[in-house]
Structure formats: C-alpha cells, structure tokens
Amino acid sequence: MAHLAPMNNGCVRYICQLKRLTLQYCKNGGSSRGIREFLSETVAQFAKENPHLTVYVRQRPGRHPRIVAEFLSGNSRVVSVKNMSVEEVAGHISLLRTSSGIKTVKLAKPWHTDNPSIQGNWTPFLYK
Amino acid sequence: VPRVKRGVTKHARHKKILKAAKGYQASSGRNYKWAKEALMHAWSHAYRHRRQRKGDFRRLWIIRIGAACRQHDTNYSQFMHGLTAAGIEIDRKMLADMAVRDPAAFERLVALAKTD
C-alpha cells in the first residue's frame, strides 16, 4: 500500500479531520443502552462544542448500535458500540474526533523510508 | 432429539474452505472436496516454508554480499572474517541492503575488513 504521508496537521494550524458522525442506535435494544444514555445526556453539548462536525442521529430498530465516522479525506470508519457503557462510547467518539482520516490498515513491515538510497543505488557500471 | 437436516451447517463449513481456496485452478477452486485437499497441501507448505524463509533469505543475502565484495577484490568468507576481526557486527541483511543502496559505505566496510 502507499506509504503514510507525514501529517503536518498541528505543526502550524490544527484542522480536525473528522467531518461527520452518524450515531445509529435502536430505541429498544439492550445493546443500545449506553449510546441511548449518551444521546440523552452528552451529544447535544458535544455537537455544540464541535461546530465543524455534523452529528447525525439515526434510529435503526432491531439492530446493534454503531458510529459511522467520515473524514475530510473521504475515508469512513465504522465503530460498533454494541453493549458499551456511556464512558466507552464517549471514549470512542473522542478517539474518532482526534484521529487522522487514514484508514486503519495492517502494515506489512514495521519500517518505512522514503529515501532508501541517498547517494544512489548500485548499478553494474558503478565499479567498472 | 428432533430430526436435523445438515444442509445449512454443511454449507457454512464448506463456504469457509471454498473462500480460502479462492483463485485455485479448476476443481480446487470450486469443488469442496478438491479445495480441501489443495488447502491441506497449501497449509502444510506454508508451515514448512515459513521456517525455510529464514534460511532462504540468509542465503540470498550471502550471495549478494559475495557478489558485492568480489567487485572489491575480496570474497565473502575473507570479508566476513575481516568484519568480525574489526569488531563490526552488522548483520547480513543490512550488509546486503548496503551493497545495493549505499555502495560507497559498503566499499568502506570492505576496506575496513581488509585492514589487519
């Protein structure tokens, strides 16, 4: 996969990479209890504190709750908040708010360099 | 015990195997029986080759280091002996990488290995 470009966000001016949050929950399901409590207590103030975010709240009856986060880069991330407490839901939301929009992907190797060769690679004509 | 027809669970079990055999040629990619056989071979090969990979790469690095130091009038065994005598502990992977990417530094290492 393409290497991760260095994030200059925050070096001069920080731009929150999260664009849109969609909180999907069920009115009656047991797994939605935490997010229902979050919605009744905290979400209005959270939306007011973050005017750059649009927060949608959608009912999905009969299904487990989840949070869909969309970033400025166009990537989206879906977090299942099934059976989570209010604190855990709030924790996930703050994690999404502070994350860059890069897709979470398993790295093939733990190292990376943009310039593997400084003075130039070996060629057959180098020591001829 | 009520009567159980095995279609649903069998389908779920087979689906897993067929998914793992995606891309296999002919029946092995389509037919559960042949896919299972092909996968058993594939998994046993993968197990063995994960262990062999370590040796394979070491052999590749040694070939590359040997080729690189022959350009500098020495050979692999003399070079490695000189390195250990000089107290340089760079491993073969990095030496091979340097021979490709940083030939100037590799030349300096050969010079160091040659000094008594």
Side-chain angles (χ1 to χ4, degrees):
Chain A
M1 57 147 293
H3 62 266
L4 305 175
M7 295 279 314
N8 295 313
N9 206 3
C11 289
V12 183
R13 177 162 173 252
Y14 173 69
I15 302 172
C16 178
Q17 293 293 310
L18 184 59
K19 189 165 67 173
R20 193 178 314 135
L21 272 177
T22 311
L23 308 173
Q24 298 168 342
Y25 74 107
C26 171
K27 195 155 67 92
N28 293 320
S31 54
S32 294
R33 201 165 40 183
I35 194 169
R36 276 199 302 266
E37 206 179 318
F38 179 84
L39 290 175
S40 63
E41 291 177 9
T42 334
V43 76
Q45 206 218 341
F46 172 81
K48 206 171 298 174
E49 282 171 356
N50 298 286
H52 49 270
L53 284 183
T54 40
V55 181
Y56 293 106
V57 175
R58 293 269 174 271
Q59 276 216 38
R60 277 170 102 224
R63 274 175 265 218
H64 291 301
R66 39 186 227 175
I67 302 174
V68 180
E70 282 159 84
F71 298 93
L72 291 176
S73 50
N75 296 331
S76 66
R77 195 185 306 173
V78 177
V79 181
S80 165
V81 291
K82 152 182 136 170
N83 291 326
M84 283 192 189
S85 65
V86 189
E87 296 85 21
E88 286 172 327
V89 174
H92 274 282
I93 286 188
S94 90
L95 193 64
L96 290 168
R97 185 176 55 86
T98 52
S99 88
S100 69
I102 304 174
K103 281 277 191 193
T104 42
V105 71
K106 184 176 171 190
L107 296 173
K109 32 193 171 174
W111 47 79
H112 170 79
T113 171
D114 283 327
N115 313 297
S117 180
I118 308 290
Q119 296 181 6
N121 284 323
W122 178 89
T123 67
F125 307 105
L126 188 56
Y127 289 117
K128 274 286 159 57
Chain B
V1 182
R3 180 166 174 267
V4 176
K5 289 165 72 176
R6 298 177 288 173
V8 174
T9 56
K10 174 181 90 164
H11 180 68
R13 265 191 311 113
H14 287 195
K15 217 169 106 163
K16 261 189 294 190
I17 295 287
L18 286 170
K19 180 172 177 201
K22 262 186 183 291
Y24 287 21
Q25 279 198 344
S27 301
S28 300
R30 294 183 242 296
N31 188 319
Y32 168 75
K33 191 165 134 185
W34 297 113
K36 187 142 176 256
E37 275 207 40
L39 280 173
M40 285 198 281
H41 293 299
W43 288 334
S44 119
H45 290 154
Y47 180 86
R48 197 186 320 153
H49 295 162
R50 276 195 298 275
R51 282 136 182 81
Q52 282 181 1
R53 178 171 49 200
K54 302 148 183 31
D56 287 341
F57 270 105
R58 187 171 162 119
R59 241 173 279 135
L60 176 69
W61 297 328
I62 289 174
I63 291 171
R64 287 191 177 165
I65 296 168
C69 53
R70 271 170 207 278
Q71 282 208 307
H72 299 291
D73 302 321
T74 183
N75 59 23
Y76 171 82
S77 43
Q78 298 294 317
F79 173 60
M80 295 309 285
H81 177 74
L83 277 189
T84 53
I88 296 170
E89 293 183 353
I90 305 182
D91 60 357
R92 285 153 184 82
K93 173 168 135 197
M94 280 292 109
L95 286 170
D97 189 77
M98 282 165 69
V100 173
R101 300 244 168 84
D102 199 353
F106 191 82
E107 197 178 356
R108 293 291 301 122
L109 277 180
V110 173
L112 270 173
K114 282 187 190 167
T115 59
D116 220 12

